[in-house]
């Protein structure tokens, strides 16, 4: 059934009367931030006063519908709950992991046993038929996709997750809707109100002016940023794919309807929202239309809203941008800590893979040294792999030498993971790269670390080395402040899935290479035999999660810095005064003298291919060690 567009707000010219709204005691504390942001964005809009009054009444209604269990969580949850050392995340597609939401509910004990306390389910809301960009083309923000279950199934899942101490993260696609969303359908039909929800142009004059300064997300499979829509007789702004229409956030009705949809999902039990494509929200002629100041005002408004209506909820910025562009997504200056609680540390992820290919730990050390301190109650999302490609361009400054590093070639790194470099152990594929430069790389972590090549060669020793490399990368992610993430299947060293090439709906999207179905039979084998590469991966990652849980030095409140090891192959990451993570990003044995550290006793608490003596740590090829002072 096609969802009905939300009713339009009554337009009035007078200032809204906010007295008497059941917004509760948090309103007095956070309303100034919310109203300031909304006024800055929409105060000059002719609909503003009437829209605001109507919208706040709808917000009050959502708050009144908040389930008791969630209201209790609102009242009791600590602001830095996601920054505790016992946090470990897991990311997966519902269908690839367990078929549907009910199947996933039955697998909650597995996640709990693994040590997971944060579950990111990739898009599960109603999506357009056919190609939906993996679910990121949302047709209805208020309904679970019927192929995956119902809203009742979602409520049941979130209740069981809460009972297991696991918080659910859901994708919330801010930049665009599917072209069959009710708003888009109304726009197609000529409804002027809903045409204003999108960027629609009758001819190429405005699109061509914008295109002069815009980049391209998918230059090979979806070139350009605008698509002709015949029945709308307009060029629609489509940053990603032609079936994803960019929303016009200059319209207060867009903000209002999207914010209410977020609150409704929060009332179903979603505790974290991955705000997809945040960097693209505001369009400005003559710019690349990324990271515009108004984008941050939108995020401040959303943060103030959840602080009022659902304060147990955290917001996560999916802004895959270079390091110097990331801090604003937490809020800066007078607004520090007023935007997102979490942000992806994509530069660290790409630096880890670059270090592995080039055997240069100094690349990672440089990124960490320039990682800014976090505001209070904020954290990084630290990851090794995810459902997206590894985007190399976040490291352009580092590769050019602009940050003090010896320059390196991103094209060389990309070629290494595509298997084009002689001697490469990786079995990945290029993504959207063209003759003008590199874009990204696809592949599961185990394949990029060499397991597939080792198995093809029948070389058990190299298979073990592949697991060493993967555990090295995860040891780095788990040493960071915030939430370390496991991507589904990495705990089993699950390999690439090539079946996408034969699927008409997936064959034009190379990222399906690293979106395999979960292999539950392989899990049973890995649990039964820890000596296999798959068993080693499972045991190693479980041990890291369990060890992290008992180390107070890994809380987000503890400082992050690096120690100069005197060896470009060896990384040393310090957390406060009581923890050190060291890693050998090379195929040779290395030794780190503990003379580089301050005086005091250190204990080896976790390690792969590492041996700790009184005065040094000996690291085998691709080895790592976690050292802690007695607590």
């Amino acid at each position: 059934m096609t969802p009905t567009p939300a009713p339009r707000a009554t337009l009035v010219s007078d200032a809204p009367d906010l007295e008497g709204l059941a917004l509760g005691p948090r309103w007095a504390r956070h309303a100034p931030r919310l109203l300031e942001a909304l006024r800055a964005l929409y105060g000059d809009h002719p609909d503003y006063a009437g829209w605001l009054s109507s919208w706040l009444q709808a917000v009050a209604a959502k708050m009144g519908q908040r389930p008791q269990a969630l209201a209790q969580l609102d009242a009791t949850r600590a602001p830095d709950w996601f920054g505790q050392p016992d946090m470990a995340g897991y990311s997966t597609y519902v269908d690839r992991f367990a078929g549907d939401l009910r199947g996933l509910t039955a697998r909650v004990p597995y996640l709990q046993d693994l040590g997971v306390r944060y579950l990111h389910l990739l898009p599960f809301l109603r999506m357009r038929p056919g190609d939906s960009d993996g679910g990121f083309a949302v047709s209805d923000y208020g309904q679970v996709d019927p192929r995956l279950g119902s809203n009742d199934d979602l409520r049941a899942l979130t209740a069981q997750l809460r009972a297991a101490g696991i918080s659910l993260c859901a994708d919330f696609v801010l930049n665009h809707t599917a072209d069959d969303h009710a708003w888009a359908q109304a726009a197609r039909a000529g409804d002027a109100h809903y045409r204003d929800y999108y960027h629609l142009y009758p001819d190429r004059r405005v699109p061509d002016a914008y295109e002069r300064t815009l980049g391209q997300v998918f230059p090979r499979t979806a070139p350009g940023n605008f698509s002709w829509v015949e029945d709308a007789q307009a060029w629609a702004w489509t940053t990603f794919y032609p079936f994803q229409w960019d929303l016009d956030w200059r319209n207060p009705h867009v903000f209002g309807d999207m914010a209410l949809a977020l609150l409704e999902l929060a009332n179903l039990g979603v505790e974290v929202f991955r705000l997809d494509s945040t960097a693209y929200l505001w369009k400005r002629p003559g710019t690349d239309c990324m990271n515009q100041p108004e984008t941050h005002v939108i995020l401040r408004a959303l943060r103030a809203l959840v602080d009022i209506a659902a304060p147990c909820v955290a917001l996560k910025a999916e802004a895959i941008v270079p390091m110097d562009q990331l801090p604003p997504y937490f809020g800066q200056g007078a607004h520090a800590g007023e935007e997102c609680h979490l942000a992806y540390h994509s530069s660290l992820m790409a630096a880890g893979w670059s270090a592995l290919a080039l055997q240069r730990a100094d690349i990672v050390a440089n990124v960490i040294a320039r990682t800014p301190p976090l505001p209070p109650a904020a954290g990084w999302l630290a990851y090794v792999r995810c459902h997206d490609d590894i985007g190399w361009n976040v490291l352009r400054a580092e590769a050019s030498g602009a940050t003090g590093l010896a320059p390196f070639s991103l094209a060389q790194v990309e070629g290494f993971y595509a298997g084009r470099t002689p001697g490469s152990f990786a079995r990945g594929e290029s993504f959207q790269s063209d003759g003008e430069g590199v874009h990204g790389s696809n592949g599961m972590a185990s394949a990029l670390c060499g397991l597939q090549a080792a198995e093809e060669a029948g070389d058990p020793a190299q298979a073990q080395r592949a697991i060493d490399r993967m555990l090295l990368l995860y040891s780095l992610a788990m040493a960071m402040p915030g939430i370390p993430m496991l991507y589904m299947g990495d705990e089993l060293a699950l390999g690439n899935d090539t079946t996408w090439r034969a699927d008409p709906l997936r064959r034009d999207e190379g990222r399906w290479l690293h979106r395999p179905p979960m292999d539950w039979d392989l899990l049973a084998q890995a649990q039964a035999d820890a000596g296999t590469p798959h068993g080693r991966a499972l045991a190693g990652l479980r041990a890291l999660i369990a060890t992290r849980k008992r180390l107070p030095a890994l809380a987000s409140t503890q400082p992050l810095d690096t120690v100069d090891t005197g060896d470009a192959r060896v990384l040393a990451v310090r957390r406060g005064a009581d923890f050190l993570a060291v890693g050998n990003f090379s195929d040779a044995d290395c030794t780190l003298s503990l003379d580089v550290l301050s005086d005091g006793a250190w204990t080896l608490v976790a390690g792969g291919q590492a041996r700790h003596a009184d005065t040094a740590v000996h690291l085998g090829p691709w080895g790592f060690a976690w050292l802690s002072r007695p607590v």
Side-chain angles (χ1 to χ4, degrees):
M1 182 177 67
T2 301
T4 304
R8 306 178 190 181
T10 302
L11 304 185
V12 296
S13 58
D14 297 330
D17 178 11
L18 306 182
E19 297 297 325
L21 286 178
L23 293 170
R26 293 187 295 265
W27 172 257
R29 180 179 177 187
H30 301 295
R33 289 192 289 122
L34 174 63
L35 297 177
E36 176 193 18
L38 293 177
R39 193 178 302 115
L41 290 167
Y42 307 120
D44 293 335
H45 195 283
D47 293 0
Y48 178 66
W51 165 80
L52 181 62
S53 179
S54 176
W55 179 70
L56 287 174
Q57 292 177 41
V59 169
K62 295 293 184 190
M63 292 175 64
Q65 297 161 5
R66 191 96 167 122
Q68 183 176 358
L70 297 173
Q72 179 67 18
L73 200 57
D74 289 334
T76 59
R77 173 164 274 174
D80 61 349
W81 62 274
F82 48 79
Q84 300 307 305
D86 64 348
M87 287 300 296
Y90 193 91
S91 178
T92 186
Y93 284 94
V94 174
D95 55 342
R96 309 300 276 176
F97 184 70
D100 57 21
L101 289 177
R102 292 187 181 185
L104 198 147
T105 301
R107 296 291 187 179
V108 168
Y110 166 71
L111 297 171
Q112 189 176 23
D113 183 63
L114 192 59
V116 170
R117 293 204 52 225
Y118 170 105
L119 175 63
H120 171 205
L121 292 182
L122 287 149
F124 55 78
L125 297 177
R126 185 188 292 270
M127 57 197 76
R128 74 187 295 274
D131 190 354
S132 65
D133 186 21
F136 286 94
V138 179
S139 299
D140 187 343
Y141 289 89
Q143 294 292 324
V144 169
D145 192 281
R147 291 166 289 187
L148 302 177
S150 66
N151 285 17
D152 287 339
D153 293 329
L154 178 59
R155 286 190 191 92
L157 172 63
T158 58
Q160 180 148 339
L161 288 171
R162 282 196 306 277
I166 301 173
S167 297
L168 178 64
C169 171
D171 281 279
F172 196 72
V173 183
L174 290 177
N175 180 68
H176 49 264
T177 73
D179 60 358
D180 67 341
H181 191 284
W183 306 337
Q185 293 189 37
R188 288 175 186 273
D191 187 317
H193 178 75
Y194 288 104
R195 286 182 75 91
D196 284 346
Y197 274 47
Y198 300 98
H199 299 268
L200 299 173
Y201 303 99
D203 55 47
R204 288 290 310 190
R205 181 179 59 84
V206 173
D208 286 345
Y210 272 110
E211 286 282 21
R212 295 188 190 105
T213 54
L214 293 178
Q216 298 186 65
V217 177
F218 300 129
R220 294 183 63 183
T221 56
N225 290 275
F226 297 87
S227 302
W228 176 252
V229 182
E230 182 65 29
D231 52 2
Q233 286 296 291
W235 289 93
W237 198 315
T238 55
T239 295
F240 292 87
Y241 285 107
F243 51 77
Q244 292 166 307
W245 292 11
D246 286 32
L247 289 163
D248 188 348
W249 283 84
R250 297 172 301 178
N251 184 345
H253 296 280
V254 169
F255 177 92
D257 286 352
M258 292 293 283
L260 291 174
L262 185 149
L263 292 184
E264 181 60 28
L265 288 168
N267 282 354
L268 292 174
V270 175
E271 297 179 31
V272 184
F273 289 93
R274 176 185 178 272
L275 302 180
D276 183 69
S277 307
T278 49
Y280 297 89
L281 299 186
W282 203 268
K283 322 298 188 185
R284 175 168 279 110
T287 74
D288 62 1
C289 296
M290 292 181 67
N291 308 304
Q292 298 299 305
E294 292 84 354
T295 290
H296 297 288
V297 183
I298 291 168
L299 294 178
R300 292 207 304 270
L302 289 174
R303 172 64 179 269
L305 175 64
V306 299
D307 285 347
I308 293 165
C312 78
V313 163
L315 303 179
K316 179 173 64 175
E318 190 267 335
I320 309 304
V321 294
M323 169 57 64
D324 61 353
Q325 298 172 22
L326 263 178
Y329 286 91
F330 293 114
Q332 286 188 308
H335 300 291
E338 293 183 1
E339 293 191 31
C340 292
H341 304 77
L342 296 160
Y344 282 86
H345 203 322
S346 53
S347 293
L348 180 71
M349 179 274 298
W353 287 107
S354 299
L356 211 64
L358 301 176
Q359 301 195 33
R360 282 187 54 182
D362 60 328
I363 298 172
V364 181
N366 182 273
V367 167
I368 292 178
R370 294 183 302 105
T371 296
L374 291 163
W380 295 110
L381 202 295
Y383 63 117
V384 172
R385 285 299 291 114
C386 69
H387 67 288
D388 272 333
D389 59 294
I390 302 172
W392 301 115
N393 288 321
V394 293
L395 294 181
R396 279 183 176 177
E398 290 83 355
S400 71
T403 63
L405 274 173
F408 61 97
S409 168
L410 290 174
Q412 181 182 353
V413 174
E414 189 270 344
F416 183 93
Y417 286 109
R420 296 194 303 270
T421 302
S424 170
F425 50 71
R427 293 295 182 269
E429 297 181 2
S430 297
F431 180 68
Q432 298 291 328
S433 295
D434 55 33
E436 298 180 359
V438 300
H439 187 99
S441 295
N442 294 331
M444 288 293 285
S446 72
L448 297 177
C449 286
L451 183 59
Q452 181 177 326
E455 291 178 337
E456 290 170 354
D459 189 334
Q462 284 305 312
Q464 298 298 336
R465 286 284 182 260
I467 302 304
D468 291 337
R469 296 182 190 107
M470 193 172 78
L471 292 177
L472 169 63
L473 292 177
Y474 268 105
S475 75
L476 170 62
M478 292 194 188
M480 291 293 290
I483 302 178
M485 292 293 294
L486 278 175
Y487 183 56
M488 186 214 79
D490 278 0
E491 75 272 27
L492 302 180
L494 205 58
N496 292 335
D497 178 18
T498 59
T499 63
W500 66 279
R501 303 185 206 281
D503 185 339
L505 293 180
R506 295 188 294 151
R507 63 189 178 198
D508 294 325
E509 174 53 84
R511 290 175 295 181
W512 285 106
L513 182 70
H514 51 261
R515 299 173 184 176
M518 183 63 169
D519 190 334
W520 296 103
D521 291 336
L522 183 61
L523 171 65
Q525 297 170 24
Q527 290 171 327
D529 188 352
T532 67
H534 306 285
R536 273 198 67 216
L538 180 61
L541 288 171
R542 286 170 61 100
L544 279 172
I545 293 171
T547 303
R548 188 182 200 271
K549 186 180 298 187
R550 65 174 189 265
L551 295 174
L554 292 179
S556 289
T557 53
Q558 296 302 305
L560 167 73
D561 63 4
T562 59
V563 177
D564 184 2
T565 65
D567 186 336
R569 301 168 300 174
V570 179
L571 175 72
V573 178
R574 192 201 297 269
R575 297 295 310 282
D578 298 325
F579 176 86
L580 190 76
V582 298
N584 175 12
F585 282 81
S586 80
D587 58 6
D589 292 315
C590 292
T591 297
L592 173 65
S593 171
L594 295 183
D595 291 342
V596 302
L597 308 176
S598 57
D599 293 336
W602 291 88
T603 301
L604 181 68
V605 294
Q609 307 305 311
R611 184 167 51 84
H612 174 222
D614 290 339
T615 60
V617 178
H618 303 286
L619 299 166
W622 319 108
F624 75 92
W626 280 6
L627 301 171
S628 176
R629 294 188 193 276
V631 294

